[in-house]
Amino acid sequence: MQQFELIAPCHFGMESVMKNEIYDIGYEITEVDDGRVTFAGDAEAIARANINLRCAERVLLKVGSFHAESFEDLFQGTKALPWEQYLPRDAKFWVTKAASVKSKVFSPSDIQSVMKKAMVDRMTEQYHISHFPEDGVSYPVRVFIKKDEVTVALDTTGESLHKRGYRKASVKAPIAENLAAGLIMLTPWKPGRILVDPFCGSGTFLIEAAMMSAHMAPGLRRHFTAEGWTNLIPGAVWQDARTEAEEEIDLSVETDLQGYDIDPAAIAAARENARLAGVDKLIHFQVRPVSSLSHPKKFGFLITNPPYGQRLKDATRGGEKYPVGKHPHAYESEFDEELTEEDRAISKEELSGIYRTLGERFQMLDSWSMYVITAYEDAEKDLGMKAAKNRKLYNGMIKTYFYMFPGPKPTAHPRKN
Ligand SMILES: C[S@@+](CC[C@H](N)C(=O)[O-])C[C@H]1O[C@@H](n2cnc3c(N)ncnc32)[C@H](O)[C@@H]1O
C-alpha cells in the first residue's frame, strides 16, 4: 500500500506519550515537534491511528511542505503540490484551519483564500475543467507555518479525537478525554492497579482508565472524515481496523476504579457517561466529599483534577487564561475553541480548604501516589507537600501544572491487606 507521512497533533507536553502510543500500534516515528508527532504509515495506519490513539487530537495526512516568505511563495508552493493524487474532481476542499508563528505570512483568512485559489488552479490544469462542483466528499485542509516553513495536510479525522462519543451528559469543567488519557499514561498507573479520582466530575479519568483496562479503543464509537475517501482508503480497511479493535476488548478484567464527587448531578452524569462508553461495570461512582476520602488498600493512585477556581469570587487567583487567538501556542493549538472553566464562583478560602483537605486525606492513604492537574497556583502550599516533579500543560486555553507525588513501588509480593 502507498506510504504516507501522518501527523498526530497532541496537547503540548504529551509528545512522549504520543510517541509511545504510535510505536505500540506499530509505526515508525519520523519527527517530533512541539505538540505534534509525525510517523510513516499506509491507508491502514490512517484507520488504525484514528481508532486507537488515546491522546492524539486528530490524524493528518501530509500533502507536502515548502518555504514561503510571501503570499506569492505560498500560492506557488501550494500549486506545486500534487492535489490531484488526493482530491477527486468532485471533492469539496477548503483550508479549514491556518496557523502561523514567527513567519512573514500570518493572516489566517488570507492564507486560506490564497491556498484555495492555488488548489483550484492546480486542479484546473490537471483535470482540464474550470468549474468544480464540490458536491462530493469533504477533504478539509490544515496548514501550519513555522519560521516560514509551510506544512500542508489533509484532516482525516473531522471532529476532534477527544470526542469519543461517550460524553453526552454535561457537567462543569470537564477535562478533555485525550488529555485525561495522556495524563494517566504519564503516571506509572497500569491496568490492574487501584485508581481513585476524588473530584471525578463527569468521570473522564475513570472512564479512560477503564477503557485502557478493557483494551477498548477510544474511537470505536465514532466516525472519521477519511471514511469517505474511498479513492485513498478502501472501505474494507476501516472495517478490518474496527474488527481488530473489537476483538481486543476484554470486559472480564479485574479493576479497582473509583470516582467520587460532592455533587450528585456530577455522579449521575459520570454513571451515564460510563454506561455510554460501555465500561460502567468496571467503575464504582459515589457521592462523597473529599473530606471522607479513604481506601483500605495500599499502593493505590489518586489522579485528579480538583476545582481550579477560574472564576474566583475575589478574582485574584487561578490559572492564566488566554483569549482566543492570543494563546502562546495559538499557531498550532488544536484546542482554541475548547475553553474549559468552572461555572461556579468559588472563594479563595473554599479553594484553599479543598486542597488542604486533599493533602490531609492523601497523607492518610498508606503508600499511595497522587497526580494532580490544576491551574491553582497555591496547590503545593495548600496540599502541604512539594511535588517530586511537575509538568506545565494547557487544558484548553488554561495554563495548568500536573503535580506528581509518586509513592513507593509495590514489592514483587505485596503483603495482602
Ligand atoms: C474541575 S471539576 C472535575 C472535572 C472532571 N475531571 C471531569 O472530567 O468531568 C472539579 C469537581 O470537583 C467537585 N468538587 C468540588 N468540591 C468538592 C469536594 N469538597 N469534594 C469532592 N468533590 C468536590 C466538583 O463538583 C467538580 O465536579
Side-chain angles (χ1 to χ4, degrees), residues 121-347:
D121 264 28
R122 169 82 185 198
M123 301 266 286
T124 301
E125 285 176 15
Q126 298 294 321
Y127 283 124
H128 309 292
I129 48 173
S130 55
H131 174 70
F132 289 90
E134 297 204 41
D135 54 3
V137 171
S138 296
Y139 290 74
V141 176
R142 290 195 164 222
V143 55
F144 37 94
I145 311 178
K146 188 174 177 183
K147 295 186 185 155
D148 302 322
E149 289 306 316
V150 184
T151 303
V152 184
L154 289 167
D155 175 18
T156 74
T157 301
E159 195 172 39
S160 312
L161 284 178
H162 76 80
K163 301 215 167 117
R164 321 287 205 211
Y166 66 71
R167 193 147 70 191
K168 297 283 192 295
S170 69
V171 292
K172 290 173 280 189
I175 191 164
E177 295 85 331
N178 59 344
L179 178 58
L183 291 172
I184 294 171
M185 291 189 275
L186 275 178
T187 77
W189 181 86
K190 289 281 171 290
R193 304 284 304 270
I194 303 164
L195 174 58
V196 174
D197 180 354
F199 303 95
C200 73
S202 60
T204 319
F205 279 118
L206 286 317
I207 295 170
E208 291 296 322
M211 289 169 75
M212 289 178 203
S213 304
H215 299 284
M216 186 185 282
L220 268 175
R221 285 184 163 67
R222 53 160 289 164
H223 287 282
F224 309 98
T225 297
E227 283 179 70
W229 301 358
T230 46
N231 58 325
L232 297 170
I233 313 171
V237 165
W238 292 96
Q239 193 47 52
D240 290 350
R242 285 207 161 85
T243 306
E244 178 196 43
E246 294 279 3
E247 285 173 359
E248 286 287 310
I249 299 174
D250 177 7
L251 287 167
S252 69
V253 286
E254 290 272 318
T255 54
D256 190 340
L257 305 171
Q258 315 224 14
Y260 311 135
D261 200 287
I262 201 168
D263 180 359
I267 291 299
R271 287 192 180 125
E272 176 61 3
N273 289 338
R275 190 187 64 75
L276 289 168
V279 292
D280 47 325
K281 304 271 185 310
L282 303 182
I283 312 171
H284 175 69
F285 287 111
Q286 195 186 11
V287 177
R288 194 195 279 207
V290 65
S291 52
S292 304
L293 174 64
S294 67
H295 198 290
K297 293 189 181 162
K298 295 176 70 163
F299 300 112
F301 284 79
L302 297 180
I303 303 181
T304 194
N305 168 213
Y308 293 180
Q310 274 299 314
R311 284 190 192 164
L312 289 176
K313 276 179 191 153
D314 58 11
T316 56
R317 288 281 198 281
E320 231 174 298
K321 200 174 74 195
Y322 297 90
V324 171
K326 300 286 184 219
H327 187 282
H329 299 310
Y331 74 95
E332 47 192 349
S333 171
E334 299 291 324
F335 316 105
D336 46 8
E337 64 289 351
E338 309 274 341
L339 260 185
T340 55
E341 60 179 279
E342 297 243 23
D343 287 334
R344 191 174 69 93
I346 188 167
S347 72

Side-chain angles (χ1 to χ4, degrees), residues 95 108-118:
V95 179
S109 57
D110 291 337
I111 293 170
Q112 284 167 315
S113 59
V114 165
M115 289 184 68
K116 171 83 187 202
K117 197 166 176 311

